[in-house]
Amino acid sequence: MMRVTFIHADGKGRTEAEVDPGSILLDVAQANMMPLEGTCEGQMACSTCHVIVAKEDFDRLPPATEMEEDMLDLAAGVRRTSRLACQILLTEAMDGLTVHIPGESRNMQGPR
């Protein structure tokens, strides 16, 4: 098992999750009630699973593909350490990863 910490959009709340290596970060986030929409269900056709990886953890991730970079251009509140949660396959080397849920997002499904 490994640990992932989500910092809530308000910057105050924290949720720690224990997960198995090989899990997709978006799935872990949604299972822990994080407000990541994931409209395209991991097909990299939206940016609704945008997260901001903690600066100290960012270099532990494999680089984003050009396609992921293009989708991040559509996300609200992008930072230098922004990634799409659907593209992060968690490995043991990422144990202790901390990600911030952005305070703003784009709702691709429209009002509910």
Side-chain angles (χ1 to χ4, degrees):
M1 292 293 266
M2 56 181 286
R3 185 178 47 84
V4 175
T5 301
F6 297 97
I7 307 297
H8 300 189
D10 65 8
K12 298 174 186 172
R14 301 170 63 93
T15 297
E16 292 194 13
E18 287 194 6
V19 300
D20 291 319
S23 300
I24 302 293
L25 184 60
L26 175 60
D27 296 337
V28 174
Q30 290 177 334
N32 284 276
M33 308 308 288
M34 294 297 104
L36 297 180
E37 198 172 305
T39 303
C40 72
E41 298 179 356
Q43 299 302 307
M44 212 172 5
C46 72
S47 59
T48 61
C49 67
H50 165 232
V51 294
I52 301 166
V53 178
K55 290 176 186 168
E56 61 272 14
D57 294 333
F58 188 73
D59 290 335
R60 295 197 286 152
L61 302 179
T65 63
E66 186 175 331
M67 188 172 174
E68 181 179 354
E69 294 280 350
D70 289 345
M71 290 312 308
L72 283 167
D73 288 342
L74 303 175
V78 173
R79 308 282 188 278
R80 187 187 73 74
T81 60
S82 289
R83 293 294 302 268
L84 297 179
C86 70
Q87 297 303 300
I88 300 176
L89 176 68
L90 298 167
T91 66
E92 289 181 7
M94 295 175 203
D95 187 26
L97 182 72
T98 298
V99 296
H100 299 258
I101 304 301
E104 54 186 306
S105 64
R106 295 207 197 313
N107 182 339
M108 304 297 244
Q109 292 182 340
R112 293 183 188 180

